[in-house]
Amino acid sequence: MAKDLYETLGVNKGANDDEIKKAYRKLAHKHHPDKTGGNADKFKEINAAYQVLSDKEKRSQYDQYGQTFEQGQRGGGGQGFGGFSSQGFDFSGFQQGGGGQGFEFGGGFEDIFSDIFGGGGGRGGSSQKAGRDIQIDAEISFEEMVKGAHREVSLLRRVVCGLCKGSGGEPGAKEENCHTCKGSGQIKQTVRSFFGTFVQASTCPTCSGSGKTYAKKCHKCSGEGRVREQQSIAFDIPAGISNGQTISLQGQGEAGERGSSNGDLFVNIHIKQHNFFERKGNDILSTEHISYSQAVLGDKISVRTINENISIKIPAGTQGGETFRIKEQGVPQLGRNSARGHQLVKIIVDVPKNLSRDQKKLLEELKKSGL
């Protein structure tokens, strides 16, 4: 019996396109015949599976017919799975290009094969690398979560070189075509693989894809266009943010290569636990203790909120565990300070343990009266 294609790639039937592609990349790296420890038969299987599951129409037919999809093809179920068989991979799915010099890959395989052979990109190569993202943690108090906060952090990161302005060349030095790639920004190499021979383009390591170099490198950054510096970054934390939520600060990561875009700074927020308040959604939960007599006769009590103390009425006959709502004393809805949750106050009735003789006598009288 033919092996299930989802099982071949190690994904479940509900996997999305990115999950399927990621699983294929991992297996292709592991089993490619031109790599040490590769397995040609296994590589055929995962390629056949990927060609079906990465194509919406073929995947739909496979989901319909399952492991008998070849019968579905013969039965007129659409275009079928031309180019494949349950025994493995059929090379007829590839077109030989360049006068018989190699294979031209389609269907999104270029970047995958580039990864396998360590190249710098797919068809046409890739541009200079963007700056690296940075991830940090910030701890705030419960009160700051409700009201918002401001933080300033000091980071050692790559920034644009102030001397060459990111070009990598010594100020005044002559700009010239890169001698390695002849100004194209790419280098091409012939790769021999299990599929045959094909030409792979990758980013030029000398000019990082710009196609230009300078007669003299910048002495401050050694031609990289970036230097490491300690810098302070200030940012605001919005009111209503949740524990574990991340703030994204665009362009505040590391500088990219030779003028390419900066990375981003991601701040993971951690909220300290409060010893009195608890958050549930946008509501704040708290508890208040009242005496037995207050519960029976009613009273007014002062309740602590995140902003101030507020007086609320306790009706006569209040039961332990009842909850009272103080409107709009909760957490602001993120991005909408005018919309807030409420404070929910749970009442706990304290039953006295050590009574005097007179108190006991009074309670006995109340008991006789049916209270």
Side-chain angles (χ1 to χ4, degrees):
M1 179 180 292
K3 191 174 183 180
D4 179 75
L5 299 188
Y6 292 102
E7 184 180 345
T8 297
L9 291 185
V11 297
N12 59 49
K13 193 170 182 179
N16 59 36
D17 292 343
D18 288 339
E19 291 171 331
I20 289 173
K21 189 172 184 178
K22 183 178 180 180
Y24 173 76
R25 285 177 182 269
K26 182 178 179 180
L27 292 172
H29 274 283
K30 180 179 180 181
H31 297 295
H32 196 281
D34 290 347
K35 298 181 78 72
T36 303
N39 185 311
D41 291 335
K42 188 69 175 176
F43 192 62
K44 288 179 184 179
E45 288 182 8
I46 63 173
N47 270 291
Y50 182 71
Q51 278 286 355
V52 173
L53 299 184
S54 63
D55 184 288
K56 289 184 178 180
E57 184 177 352
K58 292 176 182 178
R59 182 178 179 180
S60 176
Q61 294 175 19
Y62 177 75
D63 289 341
Q64 180 180 358
Y65 293 108
Q67 295 184 15
T68 62
F69 66 92
E70 286 183 321
Q71 297 175 16
Q73 179 186 358
R74 291 193 294 268
Q79 297 299 315
F81 301 94
F84 299 93
S85 74
S86 59
Q87 301 303 315
F89 192 83
D90 185 344
F91 293 97
S92 64
F94 293 101
Q95 294 180 347
Q96 194 164 5
Q101 296 304 311
F103 291 97
E104 179 184 345
F105 296 99
F109 275 82
E110 298 95 330
D111 56 339
I112 295 176
F113 284 114
S114 178
D115 281 350
I116 294 172
F117 296 110
R123 186 178 302 177
S126 64
S127 59
Q128 296 158 345
K129 292 181 180 179
R132 185 175 65 90
D133 294 334
I134 299 175
Q135 189 169 192
I136 62 173
D137 296 291
E139 188 176 60
I140 61 174
S141 66
F142 192 92
E143 288 82 1
E144 288 176 317
M145 176 272 292
V146 176
K147 300 176 181 180
H150 181 80
R151 287 289 188 274
E152 187 169 324
V153 296
S154 181
L155 296 176
L156 178 63
R157 58 177 181 163
R158 286 189 178 95
V159 298
V160 174
C161 175
L163 182 62
C164 69
K165 310 302 181 186
S167 69
E170 186 73 16
K174 181 182 178 182
E175 186 182 58
E176 52 193 20
N177 283 340
C178 173
H179 62 84
T180 302
C181 65
K182 312 302 180 187
S184 69
Q186 302 176 358
I187 57 172
K188 296 183 178 181
Q189 57 183 340
T190 300
V191 178
R192 298 182 183 277
S193 77
F194 177 72
F195 293 108
T197 301
F198 62 95
V199 176
Q200 182 185 12
S202 58
T203 303
C204 175
T206 303
C207 66
S208 298
S210 68
K212 301 292 183 181
T213 57
Y214 289 85
K216 187 177 181 182
K217 292 182 179 180
C218 173
H219 70 272
K220 183 176 181 180
C221 65
S222 300
E224 186 181 349
R226 305 178 293 180
V227 292
R228 287 185 178 273
E229 287 186 4
Q230 194 83 27
Q231 290 188 341
S232 294
I233 300 175
F235 57 92
D236 292 320
I237 300 172
I241 196 165
S242 298
N243 188 53
Q245 201 164 352
T246 299
I247 299 173
S248 174
L249 303 175
Q250 293 187 349
Q252 294 297 321
E254 292 199 331
E257 289 184 352
R258 299 184 183 178
S260 57
S261 60
N262 287 6
D264 299 329
L265 174 63
F266 296 96
V267 184
N268 301 318
I269 301 300
H270 304 278
I271 302 170
K272 295 179 184 178
Q273 188 174 3
H274 201 278
N275 59 5
F276 184 76
F277 297 116
E278 183 182 345
R279 178 177 179 176
K280 183 177 182 180
N282 285 336
D283 293 332
I284 293 177
L285 310 182
S286 66
T287 58
E288 291 290 341
H289 291 253
I290 62 173
S291 67
Y292 182 77
S293 60
Q294 285 177 310
V296 173
L297 302 175
D299 200 359
K300 281 188 176 182
I301 63 171
S302 179
V303 174
R304 175 183 174 186
T305 73
I306 200 71
N307 298 306
E308 57 185 342
N309 287 347
I310 294 180
S311 178
I312 67 170
K313 182 180 179 180
I314 301 296
T318 294
Q319 304 296 307
E322 282 193 49
T323 299
F324 294 89
R325 183 178 68 173
I326 305 177
K327 292 183 178 180
E328 298 182 352
Q329 288 295 322
V331 179
Q333 185 175 332
L334 188 62
R336 294 178 57 193
N337 287 339
S338 59
R340 305 177 69 94
H342 311 296
Q343 181 164 334
L344 305 179
V345 183
K346 183 179 180 181
I347 298 299
I348 297 175
V349 179
D350 292 333
V351 178
K353 293 181 179 180
N354 301 312
L355 299 175
S356 67
R357 182 177 298 176
D358 290 339
Q359 288 172 328
K360 287 181 179 179
K361 185 176 180 180
L362 287 173
L363 287 175
E364 288 291 341
E365 293 296 327
L366 289 173
K367 183 177 178 182
K368 290 177 181 178
S369 67
L371 293 180

